[in-house]
Amino acid sequence: MTPTPALAGLIPLAEAHDASVHGGKAAALARMLAHGFRVPPGVVLTDALFQDHLRRADAGGEQRAARICASPLAPTLRAALGACIDGTALHAVRSSAVGEDSAAHSFAGQLDTVLGVAGAGALEDAVRTVWASAWSVRSLVYQARRQVQLSRMGVIVQRQIDARHAGVLFTHAPAGCAATPVMMIEYCAGLGDALVSGAIDPARVVVAREGGGIVEHVMPDAALALLAGDEIHHLVAEASRLEALFGCPLDIEWAIDQAGQLWLLQARPISTPVAAAPFAEARSAVWTNANIAENFPEPVSPLLYSVVRAGYTAYFRNLGLGFGISPTRIAAMAPVLANLVGVHGGRLYYNLSNIHALLQLAPAGRWLARAFNNFVGAAEMPALRHAMPIQGWFDRVAEALRIPCKTAWQYLRVQSRVARFERAVTSFCDGTRRPALAAMSPAGLVDALDGFLTIRLRRWNDAALADTAAMVCYALLQRSLKRAWPQAGESVHNNLLVGLPELASHVPVERLWDLSREVRNNPVLLLLFSEHDVPAIENALATLPELAAFRARFEDYLERWGFRSSGELMLTHPSTEENPHQALNLLKTYVGLDADSPATLLARQVAARLAATDAACKHLSPLALVRALPLVGRAGRFRLLLSATQGAIRLRERARMQQARLYVHLRHIVLACGRSLAAAGLLDAPEDAFQLTMDELKDLLSGQAMFPYSVGALVRQRREAHARLARMAPPDSITMAEGSYLACAAGLPAAGPEADAAAPLQGTGACGGRISATAAVLADATEVGLMHEGDIVVTRQTDPGWACVFFLARGLVVERGGMLSHGAIIAREFGIPAVVGVRGATTRIRSGARLMLDGDRGVVEILA
């Protein structure tokens, strides 16, 4: 567009500074251009040209608008307009009336804007249309209600932006939108005319004015490509500059072109209150017990909740810092970091809204959120909300360089980091064995608690890296396989992960199997285990001298692996080492098995995995020569990613085993604390210590508690309240306003529509294969005595303590869990078909029912 028209009254936009002649909109844009803001170039037709057209059209009365549209432009104006525009480009023609976009009267939406104008003829029509809109019905009604009259009119002709996104920004959002002052952005894909007209429901972003943190990002249309974080930051920064220039709150129209460049189209004062937007209501949070119920399947104690809550905050904060996220942005997330888990009905839940918000800090945050859901088995995708301060260009560039470097550095050392975590846990556990704890003073017990917290809050990143690696590698493998081999189902992906060697959770199963073979090879032991129940077996092992050698080996098993049991992280559950009944019950069952050993099963699964890997590689790179070259063909890159995924899963299982060991030792420490406090008369029983938070327990032991003599009454009150919570049955997923609670009602949650009893149950196939067998519905792993070899285990959730049970099963159906849940991993380890995430499985299926389980399609059918 040529900004040098050869006609009085047609001037470049940058020179249209006089609002009384050129109109308020043009004057504002000229001011913005003068201060370096990016505004599309254009020209302005002044009011003098408008008045000349009116005289020539002889327009008056009710027919004025029609006369204006019918009368041609003056020949000199038509020639000048044609000379100053690019005939091949699209233009936008908009009003700039005198008095429009003022602090008193905005005239927003009252006068016409014409988009997509191409060529001189269309431009003439558009100018006349904009002039005539001063006498449209809506404009005349607006003027009458506001007791204002438009008599002078300028028109702006600008190059039209090829917009990827366009929208409006209010530098002061409506009152009630948030507790603190915020800016509000509404946007859509393409040009913003549909948004301004109200024809669509826009995406919305709420940004805190203090610090610039993005409070909420709501996406009503799942197909809309979202604004990137840096685009939002740049837009908010420019809006702040504009507000400082004009000295008042502004309503700003903007567009981002296909190249990602921000353009400012309009800025006018906010003269009247803006109508409240839907997000002015209380924000809601999405809670899910997916995956967290696997680790904490029952109502948790106050002590465990205090540990887990602080642990998750430290987990995500330290991961973010470790991967190079700016400490400033991490600090801005403090309220979100403090609210990552909560309790409903005494059960632990993830705050999925806040976890997704944190993931937005990282590059590809939306993809990471989906990967996290796949990782834990959650189906919900909360409205996009994240908070981060506005960064200057230097900080953004520095972070963009730092994140890939630190991420690469972390994963180059992930194996050594997990090994370091194992050494730290071993050192701590060696110093906190039960005999040593019994001799500790209260101060020594406080030191032991602090030692646990040091690992949990400051050194957990070594273990968390394995979690993140498993999540990311698994998602990347899944995506790459789907792209390169669209016909491959989920079963192909899962078959690549069966029979992983050196999986930590497999070792206790092998050791228990070895003990069972020793029993079968010893006639005395075989008779004992075959003819007697578990209490009698336990008594015989404790008293008969001829069984001393086996008793020593069994006790060694308990010493090494006794921390592995169902509910091993709950703290309030006795470990197998404390109560060996579960281990003896499993051992008794193993003794009766005439089956392949775990090692034989593993070898079979290894062979199946290698065959599946070869088949995938042949499909990806049919030429043998290409397959043999690493990184050259798709097969070589695929093998590299597959190896990384398998290695990450193994590392995660190693870290998870140490976590169980650490928590069982914390249980022993807390019980020692309880015994010390009970001996001092402050608690009724050692187990009462679990009804205190970690800080309360430490204060009581160190003499800093304010009400030490009331602790017993507090514990009794909490026990009663805990029992009421335990009678609740909250749903697996909850969406409710932040700061609210479920109604404290006992019993099951409100039932949904009754399911068809004959309809198949649908979940996610975690390990392939199709079998028919009898169902054994188990509440937890301690009910192993209710199942028979070859049953399909049906349960609500599993944890690593189920590994010894899975060895007895032919299939697995789990209500909760994702593709990297421990149930899914162990099922693949033993090669048993498994379906996870099967809602209602334990209520629809009864023990003894005949099931058909299809691990490839994720389907479970009740046959009889």
Side-chain angles (χ1 to χ4, degrees):
M1 176 174 289
T2 306
T4 55
L7 178 70
L10 185 62
I11 65 172
L13 178 59
E15 299 175 10
H17 295 291
D18 190 344
S20 65
V21 176
H22 311 121
K25 188 178 298 181
L29 292 174
R31 189 177 183 186
M32 292 158 63
L33 282 166
H35 285 80
F37 290 92
R38 186 175 289 272
V39 175
V43 296
V44 177
L45 286 70
T46 68
D47 179 64
L49 296 174
F50 177 49
Q51 299 301 332
D52 177 69
H53 186 77
L54 287 179
R55 286 191 296 270
R56 288 187 309 99
D58 190 25
E62 294 181 359
Q63 302 300 317
R64 170 164 281 182
R67 290 176 179 271
I68 291 171
C69 286
S71 178
L73 298 183
T76 53
L77 175 56
R78 292 162 63 188
L81 274 176
C84 71
I85 68 167
D86 181 352
T88 63
L90 296 180
H91 297 82
V93 180
R94 63 188 72 216
S95 65
S96 181
V98 175
E100 184 183 6
D101 285 1
S102 66
H105 308 290
S106 72
F107 277 84
Q110 305 308 312
L111 304 176
D112 283 347
T113 293
V114 184
L115 301 176
V117 178
L123 179 58
E124 179 182 347
D125 292 340
V127 169
R128 291 199 308 265
T129 298
V130 172
W131 277 340
S133 66
W135 283 273
S136 66
V137 173
R138 65 180 183 274
S139 175
L140 292 174
V141 171
Y142 182 91
Q143 294 175 57
R145 288 181 175 175
R146 295 299 183 103
Q147 296 183 344
V148 62
Q149 184 176 359
L150 284 180
S151 58
R152 291 180 291 171
M153 172 87 88
V155 173
I156 303 169
V157 180
Q158 288 175 286
R159 179 171 61 82
Q160 181 172 302
I161 301 302
D162 181 14
R164 171 166 52 84
H165 290 97
V168 295
L169 182 150
F170 299 95
T171 61
H172 275 268
C177 285
T180 57
V182 295
M183 294 185 183
M184 183 184 76
I185 303 169
E186 292 188 342
Y187 69 93
C188 65
L191 299 174
D193 52 330
L195 184 151
V196 174
S197 68
I200 64 170
D201 188 14
R204 294 185 178 90
V205 186
V206 183
V207 183
R209 289 180 58 85
E210 183 68 30
I214 298 175
V215 177
E216 190 167 47
H217 195 159
V218 179
M219 178 185 64
D221 183 358
L224 174 63
L226 294 175
L227 282 178
D230 57 348
E231 292 174 327
I232 295 173
H233 303 156
H234 183 41
L235 177 56
V236 169
E238 291 294 273
S240 299
R241 288 180 57 212
L242 268 181
E243 188 179 58
L245 174 64
F246 285 88
C248 63
L250 297 175
D251 167 0
I252 301 166
E253 291 186 19
W254 54 270
I256 295 176
D257 64 22
Q258 300 297 333
Q261 181 65 59
L262 173 65
W263 297 86
L264 301 176
L265 309 179
Q266 180 177 313
R268 61 186 170 214
I270 299 175
S271 57
T272 57
V274 182
F279 68 86
E281 303 172 2
R283 288 208 311 264
S284 62
V286 176
W287 300 88
T288 178
N289 66 9
N291 181 254
I292 202 168
E294 178 181 280
N295 294 326
F296 308 101
E298 300 172 9
V300 296
S301 65
L303 189 129
L304 180 57
Y305 180 42
S306 67
V307 169
V308 170
R309 186 176 179 183
Y312 273 99
T313 297
Y315 181 101
F316 278 94
R317 178 194 292 119
N318 294 338
L319 266 181
L321 293 172
F323 287 128
I325 303 294
S326 164
T328 304
R329 292 209 292 152
I330 294 291
M333 296 294 286
V336 174
L337 281 163
N339 188 18
L340 297 178
V341 295
V343 286
H344 299 288
R347 281 82 169 172
L348 279 169
Y349 283 74
Y350 287 132
N351 186 328
L352 198 61
S353 297
N354 281 355
I355 289 176
H356 279 210
L358 283 175
L359 294 172
Q360 305 307 314
L361 289 174
R366 189 69 174 169
W367 180 84
L368 284 174
R370 289 193 295 270
F372 179 84
N373 275 19
N374 194 31
F375 179 59
V376 302
E380 303 79 11
M381 289 294 290
L384 194 59
R385 298 207 320 257
H386 54 289
M388 58 190 76
I390 296 173
Q391 295 176 287
W393 70 267
F394 180 81
D395 290 336
R396 291 201 300 272
V397 171
E399 188 178 77
L401 295 174
R402 185 169 62 245
I403 288 176
C405 292
K406 294 200 74 170
T407 300
W409 175 242
Q410 296 283 15
Y411 285 116
L412 284 173
R413 304 186 302 146
V414 64
Q415 283 192 309
S416 63
R417 296 284 293 274
V418 170
R420 184 170 71 176
F421 178 73
E422 290 172 324
R423 290 194 298 272
V425 173
T426 297
S427 176
F428 173 79
C429 292
D430 286 346
T432 54
R433 296 181 185 275
R434 283 189 287 175
L437 292 171
M440 283 187 183
S441 66
L445 292 172
V446 171
D447 289 342
L449 293 173
D450 284 337
F452 169 85
L453 291 175
T454 295
I455 295 175
R456 188 64 190 84
L457 304 182
R458 295 171 55 190
R459 304 189 66 177
W460 206 266
N461 238 24
D462 289 347
L465 287 174
D467 282 339
T468 312
M471 180 185 82
V472 171
C473 289
Y474 185 92
L476 288 174
L477 181 68
Q478 191 176 47
R479 185 177 69 170
S480 66
L481 195 60
K482 284 182 177 179
R483 286 184 174 181
W485 192 359
Q487 298 80 14
E490 197 68 46
S491 60
V492 174
H493 183 216
N494 292 327
N495 289 341
L496 298 168
L497 300 174
V498 302
L500 297 182
E502 303 175 8
L503 203 65
S505 53
H506 196 264
V507 179
V509 183
E510 292 180 332
R511 299 291 82 81
L512 193 65
W513 176 263
D514 292 342
L515 286 174
S516 74
R517 299 306 93 179
E518 184 174 345
V519 170
R520 286 174 65 95
N521 293 328
N522 184 316
V524 176
L525 286 170
L526 182 58
L527 180 64
L528 175 65
F529 275 82
S530 301
E531 302 295 333
H532 297 82
D533 59 15
V534 168
I537 294 171
E538 186 175 22
N539 181 65
L541 291 177
T543 57
L544 296 179
E546 60 270 29
L547 302 181
F550 179 81
R551 180 175 68 243
R553 282 187 287 278
F554 180 68
E555 289 175 349
D556 180 70
Y557 170 85
L558 295 178
E559 173 70 19
R560 292 176 180 272
W561 311 110
F563 59 85
R564 304 248 68 174
S565 58
S566 183
E568 60 196 12
L569 304 185
M570 289 296 300
L571 298 186
T572 49
H573 286 203
S575 66
T576 305
E577 182 184 6
E578 297 172 74
N579 181 9
H581 279 202
Q582 181 181 347
L584 284 172
N585 199 7
L586 277 168
L587 181 57
K588 180 178 171 65
T589 304
Y590 277 27
V591 167
L593 293 180
D594 289 310
D596 292 331
S597 70
T600 301
L601 288 178
L602 177 60
R604 192 178 301 150
Q605 295 308 311
V606 168
R609 172 172 53 80
L610 293 177
T613 303
D614 288 341
C617 289
K618 287 178 181 177
H619 180 86
L620 296 174
S621 297
L623 294 177
L625 179 60
V626 175
R627 286 199 304 273
L629 298 175
L631 301 180
V632 173
R634 288 190 302 182
R637 295 190 294 272
F638 168 75
R639 283 185 184 274
L640 185 64
L641 181 55
L642 177 60
S643 176
T645 305
Q646 294 168 345
I649 291 173
R650 285 195 294 267
L651 289 173
R652 178 173 177 260
E653 287 299 293
R654 281 171 53 184
R656 181 61 174 81
M657 178 169 282
Q658 296 306 315
Q659 180 185 10
R661 188 179 176 198
L662 187 67
Y663 271 66
V664 167
H665 274 258
L666 175 61
R667 166 181 164 80
H668 297 160
I669 296 168
V670 173
L671 287 174
C673 295
R675 285 190 288 270
S676 176
L677 294 171
L682 299 177
L683 295 179
D684 295 336
E687 291 76 10
D688 289 349
F690 293 112
Q691 295 300 322
L692 303 175
T693 68
M694 180 66 82
D695 286 341
E696 289 171 341
L697 182 59
K698 289 171 60 180
D699 284 348
L700 203 57
L701 286 165
S702 59
Q704 299 182 54
M706 186 173 181
F707 303 107
Y709 311 112
S710 303
V711 170
L714 174 66
V715 166
R716 289 188 289 273
Q717 181 185 29
R718 286 183 177 175
R719 282 194 180 280
E720 294 175 3
H722 195 270
R724 289 196 297 272
L725 289 176
R727 289 193 291 271
M728 294 177 64
D732 295 331
S733 178
I734 307 166
T735 300
M736 58 185 178
E738 288 184 346
S740 59
Y741 297 90
L742 292 175
C744 186
L748 295 173
E754 186 172 349
D756 180 359
L761 290 85
Q762 184 67 54
T764 301
C767 187
R770 180 185 174 97
I771 61 164
S772 295
T774 303
V777 182
L778 307 182
D780 56 54
T782 62
E783 295 186 346
V784 62
L786 301 178
M787 70 173 292
H788 302 89
E789 181 190 358
D791 282 349
I792 295 175
V793 171
V794 181
T795 188
R796 183 165 172 76
Q797 65 261 322
T798 63
D799 58 34
W802 283 76
C804 294
V805 178
F806 289 170
F807 178 60
L808 304 173
R810 285 192 63 201
L812 174 66
V813 178
V814 187
E815 285 195 355
R816 301 295 282 163
M819 298 303 294
L820 287 178
S821 64
H822 295 285
I825 290 173
I826 298 170
R828 288 192 290 266
E829 182 67 11
F830 291 114
I832 59 175
V835 182
V836 300
V838 184
R839 302 297 176 89
T842 57
T843 55
R844 291 272 308 276
I845 300 172
R846 296 287 181 265
S847 284
R850 189 76 178 172
L851 302 182
M852 189 286 296
L853 187 156
D854 189 334
D856 296 320
R857 296 188 299 125
V859 172
V860 181
E861 294 183 20
I862 304 174
L863 302 179

